[in-house]
Amino acid sequence: MQTNFTPAQLADPHVAESEKILRKCVHCGFCTATCPTYVTLGNELDSPRGRIYLIKDMLENGRAADRETVTHIDRCLSCLACMTTCPSGVHYMHLVDHARAYIEQTYRRPLPDRLVRAMLAFVLPYPARFRAALKLAKLGRPFAGLMEKVPALRPVAAMLKLAPKSVPVAARPAGRAAQATQKGRVALLTGCAQSVLDPGTNEATVSLLSRLGVEVVLPQGEGCCGALVHHMGREEEALAFARRNVDAWTREIEQGGLDAIIITASGCGTTVKDYGFMLRLDPAYAQKAAKVSALAKDVTEYLFTLDLPAPARAPGTVVAYHSACSMQHGQKITRQPKELLARAGFVVKEPREGHLCCGSAGTYNILQPEISAQLRDRKVKNIEATGADIVATGNIGCITQIASAAKLPVVHTVRLLDWAYGGERPEGLPKSAR
């Protein structure tokens, strides 16, 4: 793609990076076939290629974002299926991230939208606040139907519908020494939303790794990875989260060394693996962030490198594996989770249209509830068509989204692996799961 940025514009390193990305696009349109919003809405401007044109026009002319551009950028899920499909290597993720930050700086959203986004940024990255909000949601849930009829309140209605009827007891797993001959030492990102919605995932991870001979440490000071605010264009907040985590993990690296930083939410994994890029312009953090990104591993990615014993039980249960977008497109992890489940004795089924997003995408199912619901229903239909007993996936957003409509139990992949290798049976599994 030909660009016409001025030397003054290219002096901005963010613009210069986006210009490099834009120039790689050859207008081929391969991305449209795998873009969930284009497949759903059929609008060229709701495809990666269309959004690239909008971003180019906005940045090249140095103008403030307008309503049309914001509308179509907001509809992007950041599922990154376009990056998997693109034959030219267009790094759409970095381009749309820059566009969102630019929109946040130059566009004044309507008041209801600003309030919802501010509330999400204030609550979701902080476990204590999020837990309190979920408990309060019980009071508002009966009014969700009424709120849906008011356009400005639809995001609030979506939040109320997604909120679980009961909130698990607060629990932060403790670090644990290797129970067998030590094979490694890792740090675990406990995170924010997952630690509230499904604390058993982190506990299962610690339990499994410890039994396999891996010491697990939980560094003081780590928290939200920053993905939630990063995808809303709140870049300074995202970088502050990133710096805090880099500091926490760097202290652990210096004190005892780390073989990996284990992440159990694939959305977080995609972001942590990008810390090196996000903090590349910060001389105090660039090198440390790059080291952290190199150590970041999804839990299945790390487990795949270990010499696993024979499973303690061979369930034979049929599992539909849902590959989260941040797993298959963001981190390019496709084979390992399925092979681990198969080795553990599960019969793995892959749903049709596995490349399409379930519609969760961080806060997307709150901010774009109508499109999100269409994608969720399409995903659930394909999953249930497999005839599986359980759905396994590696991202808490997908678990929450799919479970809101599916008849099958939805669990994190690592909880099934923990069970197969001698851990506790995950709650909610059907009796047929042995």
Side-chain angles (χ1 to χ4, degrees):
M1 178 180 288
Q2 184 177 356
T3 60
N4 293 290
F5 290 93
T6 67
Q9 288 176 312
L10 294 175
D12 181 332
H14 300 293
V15 173
E17 183 65 30
S18 289
E19 193 260 356
K20 290 179 185 176
I21 297 169
L22 288 167
R23 289 178 67 85
K24 285 190 174 182
C25 180
V26 297
H27 323 278
C28 67
F30 281 18
C31 57
T32 61
T34 57
C35 174
T37 49
Y38 181 75
V39 169
T40 302
L41 303 174
N43 185 338
E44 172 73 15
L45 293 179
D46 287 314
S47 73
R49 182 171 62 180
R51 293 186 181 106
I52 285 172
Y53 279 118
L54 290 173
I55 293 169
K56 175 181 181 293
D57 179 66
M58 176 177 68
L59 296 179
E60 207 169 54
N61 290 295
R63 61 172 177 78
D66 56 29
R67 184 177 178 181
E68 180 183 43
T69 300
V70 172
T71 295
H72 296 294
I73 298 299
D74 281 354
R75 287 179 185 165
C76 174
L77 293 130
S78 279
C79 71
L80 310 181
C82 55
M83 287 179 59
T84 297
T85 311
C86 180
S88 303
V90 175
H91 205 305
Y92 179 82
M93 181 177 81
H94 288 161
L95 182 65
V96 79
D97 285 345
H98 178 207
R100 287 188 169 126
Y102 186 89
I103 287 169
E104 188 70 11
Q105 295 166 2
T106 65
Y107 181 74
R108 186 166 178 81
R109 295 177 180 276
L111 180 60
D113 194 12
R114 295 204 307 274
L115 291 175
V116 168
R117 287 168 177 267
M119 177 179 62
L120 292 172
F122 181 76
V123 172
L124 290 183
Y126 304 94
R129 298 176 194 175
F130 186 35
R131 180 176 298 279
L134 291 178
K135 291 179 178 178
L136 287 174
K138 293 181 181 180
L139 302 176
R141 190 176 291 110
F143 304 101
L146 291 174
M147 291 181 180
E148 272 190 318
K149 297 177 181 178
V150 182
L153 295 178
R154 283 175 188 160
V156 179
M159 280 189 278
L160 293 173
K161 286 187 169 185
L162 285 167
K165 293 180 181 178
S166 62
V167 184
V169 176
R172 187 175 190 267
R176 200 171 302 177
Q179 294 180 20
T181 302
Q182 186 164 327
K183 300 175 183 176
R185 185 175 188 268
V186 302
L188 173 67
L189 171 64
T190 54
C192 51
Q194 179 177 268
S195 67
V196 175
L197 293 169
D198 188 14
T201 291
N202 285 334
E203 183 57 45
T205 301
V206 173
S207 174
L208 176 58
L209 288 173
S210 175
R211 291 198 310 278
L212 293 174
V214 179
E215 180 188 359
V216 183
V217 297
L218 281 72
Q220 291 297 314
E222 60 89 10
C224 175
C225 68
L228 291 168
V229 288
H230 182 53
H231 294 311
M232 288 194 285
R234 303 170 77 102
E235 200 58 19
E236 287 309 312
E237 292 175 53
L239 294 180
F241 282 123
R243 291 186 183 101
R244 185 180 71 177
N245 285 336
V246 168
D247 284 338
W249 291 324
T250 298
R251 286 193 296 270
E252 201 63 52
I253 292 168
E254 292 172 348
Q255 290 171 10
L258 291 175
D259 297 302
I261 296 166
I262 301 299
I263 303 168
T264 55
S266 61
C268 301
T270 300
T271 298
V272 175
K273 288 182 177 182
D274 204 41
Y275 277 3
F277 177 84
M278 291 168 63
L279 290 168
R280 71 195 185 283
L281 303 177
D282 186 335
Y285 280 87
Q287 187 174 354
K288 293 187 292 185
K291 188 170 186 177
V292 161
S293 290
L295 285 172
K297 297 283 186 291
D298 181 77
V299 61
T300 57
E301 186 180 14
Y302 182 74
L303 285 170
F304 198 76
T305 67
L306 300 180
D307 185 16
L308 300 180
R313 56 177 64 86
T317 305
V318 181
V319 175
Y321 175 68
H322 163 70
S323 185
C325 296
S326 45
M327 188 79 84
Q328 62 173 311
H329 304 308
Q331 300 185 58
K332 307 302 182 188
I333 299 171
T334 56
R335 181 171 54 93
Q336 297 93 319
K338 293 180 290 187
E339 288 197 17
L340 286 169
L341 287 168
R343 287 185 203 171
F346 296 96
V347 177
V348 182
K349 300 283 188 179
E350 293 187 64
R352 290 182 61 252
E353 299 183 324
H355 63 283
L356 288 181
C357 185
C358 69
S360 172
T363 57
Y364 192 92
N365 50 5
I366 295 170
L367 297 172
Q368 301 285 338
E370 293 88 358
I371 301 172
S372 173
Q374 291 181 60
L375 291 170
R376 178 202 63 198
D377 293 346
R378 183 170 183 158
K379 178 65 67 177
V380 168
K381 181 180 178 181
N382 285 327
I383 286 173
E384 292 183 341
T386 64
D389 301 305
I390 311 167
V391 184
T393 188
N395 192 54
I396 186 61
C398 301
I399 292 172
T400 304
Q401 175 81 343
I402 295 169
S404 69
K407 298 173 184 176
L408 307 176
V410 188
V411 298
H412 196 289
T413 305
V414 79
R415 299 194 73 172
L416 292 180
L417 295 174
D418 178 50
W419 175 42
Y421 289 101
E424 294 184 7
R425 176 190 174 97
E427 296 178 5
L429 296 191
K431 293 181 180 179
S432 59
R434 301 184 300 277

